[in-house]
Structures are given as structure tokens and as C-alpha cells.
Amino acid sequence: MVDVNQLLGETIRRCDCVQTKSVNEIEELIDTGLEKNEENIQKVAMEYLQEKGYMLREDNLVRAKQHIEESSLYSDTVKVRKRRVMEEDLLAEAESEDLSTLKDICMIDQMLKLNAKLDVVAAPRFQYAVEVLTDIVLESDRPAQGSLTEFESFQMLLNRYAAAGWRVVSITSREAQNNQKLSMAGFNKTTKQVIVVFEHAV
């Protein structure tokens, strides 16, 4: 027979709106069983540093040995204090009525999140970006390997924006005045530009 309370508990644990476990850190005094002498204190100190992920430097070793000497002060053997994380399942002893209440809380929370998403869909807000290109470079125009020229094809440009969540809204072309290039008529020449507009929902 299916344990309904167990299934309900597992479902509630997947809901992030309810705290289902308590995490406590306790300190334990562990007896290594080794005779308390300089060699064994040094050995346990080095193991302590390695377990903690500390660098095996002289100053760290001095501190670790001091820690172990203090932990072993009233003992004939080497002792070391270690912290241990304990997790308690808060639903382990929960009654059916409590689980039912928590289920209702999870359902309300999920409905609120769904409403927030629907609000975004119903009245979306957008951000826009514009790229002005003076030349459309295709993948076939890629320079030979070893070229120092930075290369980005039109396809690479589109994929770069797409990877960040943008989509193309429009692509238009225009002729723009370019007063920097010398032409037969003087410093006034038109150049073709391609304008790409990207859209991103926020």
C-alpha cells in the first residue's frame, strides 16, 4: 500500500517555500587513541590541516598543534576537536494534519508564483539593443588561419545576442552621410548601413 504521508512529505520537501530541515553544527572531541607525545601531536596536526584544506605552512602547523594540545590537555592520548554538521528532517515526525496544512501553503505559494509569471506574459516589458553594421560579413569571408584580424560574421553576431536571450525584431538598411571619407565631391559621401534591432524580455 502506498504511504500517502511519505509521498506528501517528499512533495513538500521539493517546495522551496517551507523549511523542511534544520542544520546544526556541533563540536565533538575525538580521541585518536594515540599516545600524547610530540610525534603524534605533529602527525594529527598535519592530518587536521589536510582535512580542513589548509596549506601545510609552518604558521598553520603551529596553530594546529596548539589546538590539539589544548584539546588533549587533560588526557594521556591525543584528542582533537572537530565540527560536524547535523541535519534534522523536520517532517519526520509530522502528523497528517500538519502535512495537509503544509501542502496547502505550498499550493498557495505555487499559485502566487504562477500569477506573477502570468502577469509578465500578459504585460511584458522589453529591453532593446541596436547594432549598426557598415558591412555584412559572412562565414565564407572568414580570413585564413593565423590572421590577426578580429573576425565576427553576421551569424556569429546573431548567435552572440541569442545566447544572451535576445531576439531579432527588425533588420533595415539606410544610407548615411560619411564626412570622414574623401570623395570627388569633397568630404561628403554616403555609406550603406544595416541596422539590426534586438529585443529582450525583462
Side-chain angles (χ1 to χ4, degrees):
M1 183 113 181
V2 177
D3 188 338
V4 177
N5 283 348
Q6 184 180 351
L7 288 175
L8 197 52
E10 289 172 3
T11 304
I12 292 168
R13 286 184 190 93
R14 290 198 294 269
C15 180
D16 58 2
C17 72
V18 177
Q19 184 177 347
T20 61
K21 65 180 178 181
S22 172
V23 180
N24 295 309
E25 197 175 73
I26 62 169
E27 190 175 66
E28 293 180 310
L29 186 61
I30 298 170
D31 192 341
T32 64
L34 298 171
E35 183 185 347
K36 190 167 72 173
N37 56 42
E38 183 62 28
E39 183 184 345
N40 286 336
I41 288 173
Q42 172 107 353
K43 177 186 173 187
V44 174
M46 291 184 71
E47 289 173 355
Y48 178 79
L49 289 176
Q50 288 174 337
E51 186 181 312
K52 289 286 187 180
Y54 297 138
M55 293 180 66
L56 294 175
R57 295 187 329 217
E58 186 63 32
D59 58 335
N60 285 342
L61 186 58
V62 169
R63 289 192 193 96
K65 285 171 70 174
Q66 183 181 357
H67 165 74
I68 288 160
E69 285 168 356
E70 289 172 358
S71 301
S72 312
L73 189 60
Y74 302 107
S75 172
D76 295 329
T77 56
V78 178
K79 293 186 176 181
V80 60
R81 291 188 183 278
K82 292 187 178 179
R83 292 186 180 279
R84 184 160 63 92
V85 174
M86 291 187 64
E87 284 191 6
E88 180 188 358
D89 184 2
L90 299 178
L91 298 182
E93 303 297 326
E95 300 289 335
S96 297
E97 188 178 332
D98 296 329
L99 290 173
S100 181
T101 303
L102 290 173
K103 175 201 71 176
D104 292 343
I105 291 170
C106 288
M107 287 177 64
I108 292 169
D109 179 68
Q110 291 301 314
M111 288 173 64
L112 290 172
K113 288 177 180 175
L114 183 60
N115 278 340
K117 288 180 180 178
L118 289 173
D119 286 343
V120 171
V121 172
R125 291 178 297 142
F126 296 100
Q127 216 174 2
Y128 293 91
V130 178
E131 284 278 350
V132 179
L133 310 172
T134 55
D135 193 14
I136 296 292
V137 184
L138 303 177
E139 284 291 325
S140 57
D141 299 323
R142 182 185 290 274
Q145 282 191 343
S147 171
L148 296 177
T149 307
E150 191 173 336
F151 178 81
E152 183 179 49
S153 68
F154 187 56
Q155 179 180 337
M156 290 167 68
L157 170 77
L158 295 177
N159 285 332
R160 175 161 59 85
Y161 273 90
W166 297 82
R167 69 184 187 93
V168 175
V169 176
S170 68
I171 300 177
T172 55
S173 62
R174 70 168 188 170
E175 288 191 350
Q177 297 292 327
N178 188 341
N179 297 322
Q180 304 300 317
K181 291 187 177 180
L182 181 63
S183 68
M184 293 297 290
F187 287 92
N188 191 9
K189 185 180 179 181
T190 59
T191 56
K192 286 195 180 253
Q193 292 180 335
V194 175
I195 301 167
V196 187
V197 180
F198 296 91
E199 183 181 73
H200 180 256
V202 292

